[in-house]
Amino acid sequence: MKSRITIGALVAVAIFFVLLYVVFEKVDNRESVKKTESQKLRVGFVLLSDTADNGWNETHYKGIRAACDSLGVQRTLTIDIPEERVPLANAVNAMIGDSLKVIVLTSYNYPILIRDIIESHPDVTFYGINWEFDAPNYKAYFARIYQARYLAGIVAGSMTETNHVGYVAAMKNIQVYRGLNAFILGVQSVNPKAKVFVRWTNSWNEGETETENANKLIDSSGIDVIAFHQDRAFIIEVAEKRGLYCIGNHVENNRFSPRMLTSIAIDWSIIYKDFIQDYIQKKDNENMDYWIGLEKDAVGLAFYSSEVPDSVKALVNAAAEKIKTGHNVFSGRIMDVHGGIRSEEGETIGDEVLHSEMNWLVKGAIEP
């Protein structure tokens, strides 16, 4: 009897280890398949200008490199592609001809300019930073950069002595309006008397135009703090020469004077890793769009200069914590420059409007 029990026990143990081996072998095989898929994946990225511009494109490139290296993905970059149909179409068609199945368009107007190419290649997945276009093989992604601009507005509103703040904006599109409005609301949250004077350049990267508009703002509006939404540091250079405080845009470290107070920043690696990993794991249809912000530390302020007092930092930190726990900066009574009510007390402006309908300026903006 004893020997039968012993033999039965041994058989049971043997079966257990066989089953355990099978389970772990399947898991290992799945992990091997994922790793192989990621190593085979080649992702194309189209960028607007130089990857060493100390601004928008450089931060993009660093994020791309970090995400791809982390995931074992090969990257193919095409740079210096303006927001113009012909050069963009040539760049994207070359990537498609090279058998790339994932193409990332890193500038706002890119998807609109080649919508026919996107729609005619359903076997290629495109990602772009624009919610104004839709297709089955296109997914929008972006950082909630307006949250960082709101925080930068708190700094500007706290540091101005004239209550006149300047802002040099690029294109009159929803992305720029959204960020500008958030900045103004940030200024007003700490300084209700402040006004924000705005000039438009209709360019992302035109040094002469940006310099001219910054100087016009300074000469005509009595501003003592200036912010901007462009790719490079031309506005900062004007502020340095004219002795103004400045808020940077995608500047990772302060190579200027302490009058450069801070800069909005995006950690693109968090965003790129998020959606590329979903694509590898075939989860991308579960999350059709990617809009990531302070809740994952994808946006924020890059640094503070010695000119920014601790009391201002405390205001920014308090606002950031509030946003992280779900506060929408576009909340409460918000009026536009024409007196229209866009949000009432107890209301918020939701993502659908922020994506596609915010083509207006909040009260407090002045276009001289």
Side-chain angles (χ1 to χ4, degrees), residues 159-348:
M159 298 298 290
T160 179
E161 294 181 355
T162 64
N163 291 332
H164 286 196
V165 175
Y167 197 103
V168 181
M171 310 290 185
K172 287 188 176 182
N173 63 39
I174 289 168
Q175 179 200 138
V176 178
Y177 275 117
R178 187 173 59 227
L180 173 52
N181 284 338
F183 178 83
I184 295 169
L185 291 175
V187 170
Q188 293 172 346
S189 73
V190 294
N191 189 347
K193 295 180 180 179
K195 295 180 173 63
V196 178
F197 294 81
V198 182
R199 291 191 69 92
W200 300 87
T201 63
N202 296 312
S203 69
W204 297 116
N205 187 20
E206 292 289 341
E208 186 174 337
T209 302
E210 292 164 31
T211 298
E212 178 185 350
N213 277 276
N215 279 315
K216 284 182 177 179
L217 270 183
I218 297 166
D219 293 337
S220 66
S221 306
I223 62 172
D224 58 354
V225 182
I226 191 167
F228 63 96
H229 187 162
Q230 267 93 20
D231 286 355
R232 303 186 72 168
F234 301 116
I235 307 297
I236 304 173
E237 292 166 0
V238 173
E240 293 279 280
K241 290 177 182 176
R242 301 291 299 269
L244 271 70
Y245 284 137
C246 185
I247 307 288
N249 190 44
H250 306 291
V251 179
E252 293 183 312
N253 48 69
N254 191 1
R255 59 185 176 84
F256 299 94
S257 78
R259 299 191 73 78
M260 164 79 156
L261 300 173
T262 188
S263 174
I264 65 102
I266 302 176
D267 187 344
W268 287 107
S269 67
I270 293 172
I271 299 165
Y272 284 122
K273 187 174 180 179
D274 213 17
F275 72 71
I276 294 172
Q277 188 165 261
D278 275 0
Y279 180 89
I280 292 168
Q281 296 177 350
K282 305 188 188 311
K283 294 180 181 178
D284 50 321
N285 285 329
E286 297 173 15
N287 187 1
M288 292 303 293
D289 294 318
Y290 298 82
W291 207 11
I292 303 171
L294 275 166
E295 79 284 355
K296 289 190 176 181
D297 292 322
V299 303
L301 299 184
F303 56 82
Y304 292 107
S305 85
S306 57
E307 293 279 322
V308 181
D310 289 342
S311 58
V312 174
K313 296 176 190 176
L315 291 172
V316 172
N317 291 340
E321 287 304 313
K322 192 175 176 182
I323 294 168
K324 284 183 179 182
T325 57
H327 174 68
N328 182 345
V329 303
F330 293 104
S331 296
R333 187 174 177 83
I334 298 173
M335 298 178 67
D336 63 31
V337 288
H338 302 295
I341 299 172
R342 299 291 181 158
S343 175
E344 286 282 16
E345 289 298 335
E347 295 180 348
T348 62

Side-chain angles (χ1 to χ4, degrees), residues 20-223:
L20 199 63
Y21 172 79
V22 170
V23 169
F24 276 106
E25 183 69 13
K26 284 183 177 178
V27 171
D28 189 54
N29 283 342
R30 286 195 199 105
E31 293 303 317
S32 295
V33 168
K34 285 181 184 177
K35 188 173 182 182
T36 302
E37 285 178 351
S38 112
Q39 287 174 339
K40 286 181 179 177
L41 181 63
R42 297 163 60 224
V43 181
F45 298 88
V46 185
L47 285 87
L48 194 61
S49 64
D50 184 12
T51 57
D53 63 358
N54 195 35
W56 172 266
N57 293 282
E58 184 172 345
T59 58
H60 259 291
Y61 174 65
K62 288 179 177 178
I64 290 165
R65 184 179 61 193
C68 290
D69 288 351
S70 172
L71 296 170
V73 168
Q74 296 180 45
R75 59 185 178 271
T76 298
L77 271 72
T78 302
I79 64 172
D80 288 327
I81 304 299
E83 286 186 329
E84 297 171 9
R85 163 73 186 187
V86 173
L88 178 60
N90 289 341
V92 171
N93 282 327
M95 288 182 172
I96 294 170
D98 196 25
S99 301
L100 270 70
K101 295 300 181 185
V102 180
I103 297 175
V104 182
L105 307 168
T106 68
S107 195
Y108 185 83
N109 287 319
Y110 281 169
I112 303 297
L113 291 168
I114 58 161
R115 62 189 310 155
D116 59 320
I117 297 175
I118 294 172
E119 290 169 345
S120 62
H121 291 87
D123 58 326
V124 179
T125 299
F126 291 85
Y127 294 88
I129 57 171
N130 189 318
W131 267 268
E132 297 175 61
F133 170 73
D134 188 34
N137 59 326
Y138 173 82
K139 295 175 177 61
Y141 79 96
F142 202 43
R144 289 186 184 269
I145 194 169
Y146 67 87
Q147 295 174 340
R149 294 198 192 280
Y150 180 87
L151 301 181
I154 292 174
V155 176
S158 299
M159 298 298 290
T160 179
E161 294 181 355
T162 64
N163 291 332
H164 286 196
V165 175
Y167 197 103
V168 181
M171 310 290 185
K172 287 188 176 182
N173 63 39
I174 289 168
Q175 179 200 138
V176 178
Y177 275 117
R178 187 173 59 227
L180 173 52
N181 284 338
F183 178 83
I184 295 169
L185 291 175
V187 170
Q188 293 172 346
S189 73
V190 294
N191 189 347
K193 295 180 180 179
K195 295 180 173 63
V196 178
F197 294 81
V198 182
R199 291 191 69 92
W200 300 87
T201 63
N202 296 312
S203 69
W204 297 116
N205 187 20
E206 292 289 341
E208 186 174 337
T209 302
E210 292 164 31
T211 298
E212 178 185 350
N213 277 276
N215 279 315
K216 284 182 177 179
L217 270 183
I218 297 166
D219 293 337
S220 66
S221 306
I223 62 172

